Amino acid sequence: MPTTCVVGILWGDEGKGKVIDYLAADTDFVVRFGGGHNAGHTLVLPSGKLVLHLVPSGIVHPHTVNVIGNGVVVDPLHLCDEVAGLHERGMQVELGRNLLISERAHVILAAHRRQDEWAEKVRGSGRIGTTGRGIGPAYSDRCARVGLRMGDLCRPEALKNALTALAEQKNALFGPAGIEPLDCEQMLKELLAAGEKLKPGIVDTGAVLRQARRDDKRVLLEGAQGCLLDLEHGTYPFVTSSHASTGGAFSGTGMPPHEMKTVGIVKAYATRVGEGPFPTELHDEVGEKIRAAGNEYGSTTGRPRRCGWFDAVAVRYSGEVSGADELVLTCFDVLRGFPLKLATGYRLPNGDVTTALPAFDLERVEPQFVELPGFDEDISAVRVFDDLPANAKAYVQAIEEHTGLRVGTISVGPGRDQVIQR
Ligand code: GDP
Ligand code: IMO
Ligand code: MG
């Protein structure tokens, strides 16, 4: 099947960047379909670590065309910096050749960053713990039909008019709310300068991708965030503002729905960064030990990630919602020396036990665990499933049994080659 969609299964940071880089070696196009620079996708290459935020994770492969789809919200100033950073590393990034940006993708403005910060302050103890990148307000403006699109950066007169109208509208609200007013002239200057740099890459990416489909090209759809951060299917309101699950893959690219393979990425334990319910979270020193062993700090904000046990209830749910054909299990090496626990059900406040993920009061469920014996061996050099310790194999089999999903690939280290194919 020429199209593969890669999605995060829980709350992001499952190792999508590593998996996409690995798969991109055999791919013609890698397409980001949602989110913005709230994402941080880590690649550990022979030349060192690379964290990508907006640029798709196929960029290291010289033959692969990387596309920022229409479903992404783009901060043009950030994108210019990210591309410049890649050039500084000596990477070949050529706008219009191996990096394309949808002219329909919406723009994140300074206004959105200020609104994001302000909304978090107002929420107080109910804050979402956003990345502060302006993601929610940019998507809100898209829905309210007042947003700017990347193609506008190449139309100076239209940009000036749209920006003036938007700034007028925003400033009328910003003043009373105590938000610093927008300097329209400064914004226009910055956006035009960014537009000048990005222009060669700003195209109708939907048309490019539909043609790629007609030509039977191999397309890899790169999800950002994870199914439980999906605006519709996640742990609302503690979610991001885009369709992070497979549902966003078609609307966010302009490719019509068609048959594809969906791969769900999930860690061998669970992490979350930001606020919101997390049933299997560890609040003790075991959680801290997992954080230390897995170096669990946000790739975008550096915040410590909350850590907990594998949650088969949540994974089964996300597997169904995303239509995942199989799982890639990452960070298995991190669990060396830990007990292997997985939640197989939730006890609800009324005493019933369920295997379904409730839409409400998730913070009130009590996970029901099964515990398996752990392994003490270093598995980071293992490349064949049968060479894993017996306890490690039994854990993988338990995950398959309790999630109903096949584990097709296991990642045993951050490096490109640290992969076990089954
Ligand atoms: P993404 O947002 O899903 O791309 O994931 P992030 O890059 O934010 O976070 C995943 C982290 O785990 C990164 O630091 C990766 O280098 C690292 N990683 C990925 N796979 C493995 C693995 O199998 N083992 C270990 N130890 N680290 C991994
Ligand atoms: P990748 O693609 C982990 C979280 C934030 C916050 C919530 C809303 O690297 O997996 P936002 O700024 O999007 O409005 O924040 O979503 N979040 C992520 N957590 N990985 C990400 O991306 C995330 N993108 C957003 O921490 O809880
Ligand atoms: Mg990440």
Side-chain angles (χ1 to χ4, degrees), residues 206-223:
V208 171
L209 293 170
R210 290 189 293 275
Q211 185 60 47
R213 284 259 308 133
R214 282 192 287 274
D215 296 343
D216 232 13
K217 297 286 186 197
R218 297 159 301 177
V219 178
L220 192 52
L221 300 169
E222 173 172 357

mmCIF file of all heavy atoms in Angstrom, residues 206-223:
data_model
loop_
_atom_site.group_PDB
_atom_site.id
_atom_site.type_symbol
_atom_site.label_atom_id
_atom_site.label_comp_id
_atom_site.label_asym_id
_atom_site.label_seq_id
_atom_site.Cartn_x
_atom_site.Cartn_y
_atom_site.Cartn_z
ATOM 1 N N GLY A 206 -1.837 20.294 -1.910
ATOM 2 C CA GLY A 206 -2.901 19.314 -2.143
ATOM 3 C C GLY A 206 -2.814 18.783 -3.570
ATOM 4 O O GLY A 206 -2.901 17.571 -3.815
ATOM 5 N N ALA A 207 -2.618 19.710 -4.524
ATOM 6 C CA ALA A 207 -2.513 19.297 -5.936
ATOM 7 C C ALA A 207 -1.279 18.411 -6.126
ATOM 8 O O ALA A 207 -1.325 17.405 -6.843
ATOM 9 C CB ALA A 207 -2.434 20.540 -6.835
ATOM 10 N N VAL A 208 -0.169 18.785 -5.478
ATOM 11 C CA VAL A 208 1.068 17.992 -5.597
ATOM 12 C C VAL A 208 0.817 16.573 -5.081
ATOM 13 O O VAL A 208 1.223 15.577 -5.704
ATOM 14 C CB VAL A 208 2.215 18.658 -4.780
ATOM 15 C CG1 VAL A 208 3.439 17.755 -4.713
ATOM 16 C CG2 VAL A 208 2.571 20.023 -5.371
ATOM 17 N N LEU A 209 0.123 16.475 -3.957
ATOM 18 C CA LEU A 209 -0.085 15.152 -3.345
ATOM 19 C C LEU A 209 -1.099 14.313 -4.115
ATOM 20 O O LEU A 209 -0.947 13.090 -4.213
ATOM 21 C CB LEU A 209 -0.505 15.316 -1.876
ATOM 22 C CG LEU A 209 0.595 15.905 -0.988
ATOM 23 C CD1 LEU A 209 0.046 16.280 0.391
ATOM 24 C CD2 LEU A 209 1.755 14.912 -0.850
ATOM 25 N N ARG A 210 -2.090 14.962 -4.676
ATOM 26 C CA ARG A 210 -3.059 14.192 -5.491
ATOM 27 C C ARG A 210 -2.366 13.642 -6.741
ATOM 28 O O ARG A 210 -2.620 12.515 -7.155
ATOM 29 C CB ARG A 210 -4.277 15.058 -5.833
ATOM 30 C CG ARG A 210 -5.159 15.340 -4.601
ATOM 31 C CD ARG A 210 -6.469 16.010 -4.966
ATOM 32 N NE ARG A 210 -6.311 17.366 -5.481
ATOM 33 C CZ ARG A 210 -6.221 18.469 -4.729
ATOM 34 N NH1 ARG A 210 -6.288 18.375 -3.414
ATOM 35 N NH2 ARG A 210 -6.088 19.657 -5.281
ATOM 36 N N GLN A 211 -1.456 14.451 -7.299
ATOM 37 C CA GLN A 211 -0.685 13.970 -8.457
ATOM 38 C C GLN A 211 0.226 12.807 -8.025
ATOM 39 O O GLN A 211 0.357 11.814 -8.738
ATOM 40 C CB GLN A 211 0.148 15.114 -9.053
ATOM 41 C CG GLN A 211 0.893 14.744 -10.324
ATOM 42 C CD GLN A 211 -0.049 14.300 -11.447
ATOM 43 O OE1 GLN A 211 -1.058 14.942 -11.718
ATOM 44 N NE2 GLN A 211 0.263 13.171 -12.092
ATOM 45 N N ALA A 212 0.817 12.955 -6.840
ATOM 46 C CA ALA A 212 1.698 11.897 -6.329
ATOM 47 C C ALA A 212 0.922 10.580 -6.209
ATOM 48 O O ALA A 212 1.439 9.508 -6.533
ATOM 49 C CB ALA A 212 2.261 12.302 -4.971
ATOM 50 N N ARG A 213 -0.316 10.682 -5.792
ATOM 51 C CA ARG A 213 -1.163 9.488 -5.673
ATOM 52 C C ARG A 213 -1.407 8.873 -7.045
ATOM 53 O O ARG A 213 -1.328 7.658 -7.222
ATOM 54 C CB ARG A 213 -2.521 9.856 -5.049
ATOM 55 C CG ARG A 213 -2.470 10.077 -3.570
ATOM 56 C CD ARG A 213 -2.978 8.870 -2.788
ATOM 57 N NE ARG A 213 -4.271 8.426 -3.242
ATOM 58 C CZ ARG A 213 -4.594 7.160 -3.488
ATOM 59 N NH1 ARG A 213 -3.702 6.214 -3.342
ATOM 60 N NH2 ARG A 213 -5.819 6.841 -3.883
ATOM 61 N N ARG A 214 -1.702 9.744 -8.023
ATOM 62 C CA ARG A 214 -1.944 9.234 -9.383
ATOM 63 C C ARG A 214 -0.702 8.534 -9.903
ATOM 64 O O ARG A 214 -0.785 7.566 -10.649
ATOM 65 C CB ARG A 214 -2.341 10.389 -10.319
ATOM 66 C CG ARG A 214 -3.800 10.832 -10.155
ATOM 67 C CD ARG A 214 -4.245 11.755 -11.292
ATOM 68 N NE ARG A 214 -3.663 13.087 -11.203
ATOM 69 C CZ ARG A 214 -4.175 14.088 -10.482
ATOM 70 N NH1 ARG A 214 -5.285 13.911 -9.808
ATOM 71 N NH2 ARG A 214 -3.575 15.264 -10.441
ATOM 72 N N ASP A 215 0.473 9.036 -9.513
ATOM 73 C CA ASP A 215 1.744 8.451 -9.968
ATOM 74 C C ASP A 215 2.175 7.280 -9.085
ATOM 75 O O ASP A 215 3.304 6.795 -9.223
ATOM 76 C CB ASP A 215 2.855 9.520 -9.956
ATOM 77 C CG ASP A 215 2.567 10.642 -10.935
ATOM 78 O OD1 ASP A 215 1.722 10.442 -11.834
ATOM 79 O OD2 ASP A 215 3.170 11.724 -10.799
ATOM 80 N N ASP A 216 1.314 6.903 -8.152
ATOM 81 C CA ASP A 216 1.613 5.759 -7.288
ATOM 82 C C ASP A 216 2.850 5.962 -6.411
ATOM 83 O O ASP A 216 3.583 5.012 -6.111
ATOM 84 C CB ASP A 216 1.805 4.499 -8.145
ATOM 85 C CG ASP A 216 0.922 3.373 -7.616
ATOM 86 O OD1 ASP A 216 0.039 3.674 -6.802
ATOM 87 O OD2 ASP A 216 1.146 2.219 -8.009
ATOM 88 N N LYS A 217 3.090 7.202 -6.015
ATOM 89 C CA LYS A 217 4.242 7.506 -5.155
ATOM 90 C C LYS A 217 3.950 7.026 -3.729
ATOM 91 O O LYS A 217 2.799 6.954 -3.301
ATOM 92 C CB LYS A 217 4.505 9.021 -5.133
ATOM 93 C CG LYS A 217 4.871 9.602 -6.468
ATOM 94 C CD LYS A 217 6.279 9.226 -6.847
ATOM 95 C CE LYS A 217 6.718 9.923 -8.121
ATOM 96 N NZ LYS A 217 7.883 9.314 -8.729
ATOM 97 N N ARG A 218 5.039 6.766 -3.008
ATOM 98 C CA ARG A 218 4.885 6.326 -1.617
ATOM 99 C C ARG A 218 4.797 7.553 -0.711
ATOM 100 O O ARG A 218 5.690 8.406 -0.723
ATOM 101 C CB ARG A 218 6.074 5.455 -1.210
ATOM 102 C CG ARG A 218 6.187 4.169 -2.022
ATOM 103 C CD ARG A 218 7.570 3.616 -1.983
ATOM 104 N NE ARG A 218 8.550 4.566 -2.493
ATOM 105 C CZ ARG A 218 9.861 4.356 -2.530
ATOM 106 N NH1 ARG A 218 10.358 3.216 -2.089
ATOM 107 N NH2 ARG A 218 10.699 5.267 -2.989
ATOM 108 N N VAL A 219 3.711 7.626 0.038
ATOM 109 C CA VAL A 219 3.451 8.803 0.879
ATOM 110 C C VAL A 219 3.379 8.377 2.342
ATOM 111 O O VAL A 219 2.666 7.427 2.688
ATOM 112 C CB VAL A 219 2.126 9.498 0.465
ATOM 113 C CG1 VAL A 219 1.827 10.681 1.372
ATOM 114 C CG2 VAL A 219 2.181 9.946 -0.995
ATOM 115 N N LEU A 220 4.098 9.096 3.172
ATOM 116 C CA LEU A 220 4.078 8.838 4.613
ATOM 117 C C LEU A 220 3.435 10.048 5.283
ATOM 118 O O LEU A 220 3.915 11.176 5.129
ATOM 119 C CB LEU A 220 5.532 8.679 5.065
ATOM 120 C CG LEU A 220 5.858 8.143 6.441
ATOM 121 C CD1 LEU A 220 5.141 6.827 6.707
ATOM 122 C CD2 LEU A 220 7.375 7.931 6.533
ATOM 123 N N LEU A 221 2.340 9.815 5.976
ATOM 124 C CA LEU A 221 1.633 10.913 6.642
ATOM 125 C C LEU A 221 2.104 10.980 8.086
ATOM 126 O O LEU A 221 1.982 10.007 8.833
ATOM 127 C CB LEU A 221 0.123 10.665 6.567
ATOM 128 C CG LEU A 221 -0.430 10.564 5.140
ATOM 129 C CD1 LEU A 221 -1.866 10.058 5.146
ATOM 130 C CD2 LEU A 221 -0.352 11.920 4.449
ATOM 131 N N GLU A 222 2.667 12.114 8.457
ATOM 132 C CA GLU A 222 3.300 12.267 9.780
ATOM 133 C C GLU A 222 2.345 12.946 10.756
ATOM 134 O O GLU A 222 2.075 14.142 10.642
ATOM 135 C CB GLU A 222 4.584 13.095 9.645
ATOM 136 C CG GLU A 222 5.227 13.442 10.983
ATOM 137 C CD GLU A 222 6.600 14.106 10.843
ATOM 138 O OE1 GLU A 222 7.093 14.257 9.715
ATOM 139 O OE2 GLU A 222 7.176 14.466 11.880
ATOM 140 N N GLY A 223 1.848 12.179 11.707
ATOM 141 C CA GLY A 223 1.000 12.766 12.738
ATOM 142 C C GLY A 223 1.840 13.542 13.732
ATOM 143 O O GLY A 223 3.014 13.236 13.955
#
